[in-house]
Amino acid sequence: MTRRLSRLFLGLVVSVLALALTTTLAASPAHAARYANGPATIVNRLTGPFAMNDTIGRFNIVGTDLGVMWDNGRGEILTAFGDTQSFNGWSLLYGELFYWRSNVLLRSTDRHLNDGMTFTSHAGRPGHAKRLLKPNVRREVTIIPTAGVAANGKQYMTVMSVKRWDSPGIWTTNWAGLVSSADNGENWRAVNSFRPNGGGNKKFQMGAFLKVGKTIYYYGTPDGRWGGVYLARVDEKDIEKLGKWQYFSYGNWVPNNPDAATPVMGAPTGELSVQWNDYLGKYISLASQDVGVTLRTADKPWGPWTSGEIVAPSVDPYTGYAPYIHPWSKGSTLYFTYSISIGYQVYLMRLPLRRG
């Protein structure tokens, strides 16, 4: 994902166009409220050399990004990472210092987040967090996790097949898909629920899960960080059946037709997470934008969502992206993982909240 930083100017141009062409929905009185009680700050670095977790010695992870988190329903947080690097002597034969594997998973039982997030186990053999899904390098650059949820006694992730990295915040996918694990994230299999990057399914190439009772909501975005946000839902028992999904369209739910989906949050938005927050009594979302991390709120999963407030400017920390809310955030403090391209590592961030 670090390759996305290659052409900054084009990314800025695309950002301006996206803002000009897309209007954020839902102009509610809540727009005047501000729920961040100051900017987000770094709690601790979670990965890499000299981090709070010995990810090199315990998991063979030198550099990585993302940190998509969800509660597995069994007292653990599962955390999926994107492109991951480690030392491997064989890679030197190919002229590469680091060995690259697409995706890994770590687990945590740490509920005391004020000093960071400790990882307690991983998927893979001792000392090595294994690659979860192997890309077909003739067709895709990598396969990257984008969201996770526990349902039906299993673990589910949405993943994207990256066809190519283009320019800052812009990349092209082949498809988005659903994968499942029956052994707490150790092994994964593809579910016959693929969304090709075209038509209405283009709106759901990336996204975020939200589970409310037995209903699973999925907030989708196109590939990259410059699209709007669209909403789909399904009964938990039918999560693997793509034809059972419904799509939010102009205030109504339309079955089995992603073409009908209309934006619930405006562009440009990317790499988002959504969660119910007991302290605010609202649904909240964090998302990547070119100006930094945006916090949005809503009273219902479908909105109306506020236009948002910047809680982590793009310059502090510099080159940050992908804010994923920690499901065990409680009270007036919101915790989230945040990737920083310089150094290519994942951090835990703290955001103080206030009631509006």
Side-chain angles (χ1 to χ4, degrees):
M1 297 181 87
T2 54
R3 298 175 215 176
R4 302 177 203 173
L5 298 171
S6 58
R7 294 191 298 184
L8 178 60
F9 179 73
L10 179 58
L12 291 174
V13 171
V14 173
S15 175
V16 171
L17 291 175
L19 285 168
L21 295 174
T22 307
T23 301
T24 301
L25 299 183
S28 72
H31 280 204
R34 292 292 180 264
Y35 297 102
N37 191 21
T41 55
I42 292 174
V43 177
N44 219 327
R45 182 157 54 88
L46 303 181
T47 63
F50 310 109
M52 64 169 292
N53 294 285
D54 180 16
T55 61
I56 297 177
R58 296 177 62 203
F59 313 121
N60 197 19
I61 295 175
V62 177
T64 191
D65 71 346
L66 300 187
V68 177
M69 295 178 288
W70 71 97
D71 189 322
N72 71 350
R74 306 171 191 173
E76 287 183 309
I77 295 296
L78 302 190
T79 309
F81 296 88
D83 288 335
T84 300
Q85 300 168 339
S86 61
F87 290 120
N88 183 313
W90 290 104
S91 62
L92 298 176
L93 299 177
Y94 300 94
E96 299 288 342
L97 176 61
F98 295 106
Y99 170 73
W100 164 85
R101 57 195 192 274
S102 288
N103 40 70
V104 298
L105 183 139
L106 305 181
R107 307 182 186 96
S108 175
T109 58
D110 190 355
R111 291 182 178 271
H112 303 285
L113 305 175
N114 59 310
D115 60 352
M117 177 183 177
T118 301
F119 297 115
T120 48
S121 66
H122 64 284
R125 68 178 188 271
H128 181 82
K130 70 177 183 180
R131 177 172 53 194
L132 307 177
L133 300 162
K134 183 178 180 180
N136 183 337
V137 293
R138 291 176 295 181
R139 300 177 182 177
E140 56 202 359
V141 177
T142 184
I143 296 176
I144 292 180
T146 60
V149 68
N152 307 316
K154 299 179 182 179
Q155 307 303 320
Y156 290 92
M157 287 194 306
T158 52
V159 299
M160 63 175 174
S161 165
V162 178
K163 183 177 182 179
R164 64 177 180 268
W165 299 122
D166 298 315
S167 57
I170 302 173
W171 56 92
T172 303
T173 57
N174 294 301
W175 48 261
L178 188 67
V179 297
S180 70
S181 171
D183 54 7
N184 200 30
E186 193 70 23
N187 297 287
W188 297 84
R189 69 172 185 86
V191 174
N192 188 21
S193 182
F194 291 93
R195 296 181 183 272
N197 189 9
N201 282 320
K202 184 174 179 61
K203 305 170 185 177
F204 296 91
Q205 292 299 294
M206 304 171 61
F209 282 122
L210 171 70
K211 188 175 180 181
V212 181
K214 293 294 184 180
T215 301
I216 293 176
Y217 294 92
Y218 187 68
Y219 297 81
T221 67
D223 40 6
R225 299 189 185 121
W226 308 107
V229 181
Y230 304 84
L231 183 59
R233 73 178 183 185
V234 72
D235 190 279
E236 176 180 3
K237 70 179 187 306
D238 295 322
I239 187 174
E240 298 186 14
K241 301 173 183 177
L242 198 56
K244 294 286 188 178
W245 285 81
Q246 299 177 329
Y247 301 88
F248 192 73
S249 177
Y250 298 108
N252 299 304
W253 291 100
V254 178
N256 195 25
N257 184 9
D259 288 327
T262 55
V264 295
M265 303 182 203
T269 299
E271 295 161 325
L272 80 160
S273 53
V274 182
Q275 182 176 297
W276 170 257
N277 185 269
D278 284 332
Y279 177 75
L280 297 180
K282 293 181 178 293
Y283 294 96
I284 60 172
S285 170
L286 294 181
S288 295
Q289 292 190 308
D290 60 316
V291 291
V293 177
T294 298
L295 169 68
R296 295 183 174 109
T297 62
D299 293 325
K300 298 178 181 179
W302 48 89
W305 286 88
T306 60
S307 57
E309 54 186 302
I310 301 301
V311 297
S314 58
V315 295
D316 186 19
Y318 186 58
T319 71
Y321 60 96
Y324 294 114
I325 301 170
H326 194 295
W328 292 349
S329 296
K330 297 295 182 183
S332 61
T333 303
L334 185 69
Y335 292 96
F336 62 96
T337 52
Y338 199 43
S339 301
I340 299 179
S341 289
I342 295 179
Y344 198 54
Q345 303 297 344
V346 178
Y347 292 71
L348 186 69
M349 305 287 290
R350 177 193 293 114
L351 176 64
L353 301 175
R354 65 183 177 191
R355 295 187 178 100

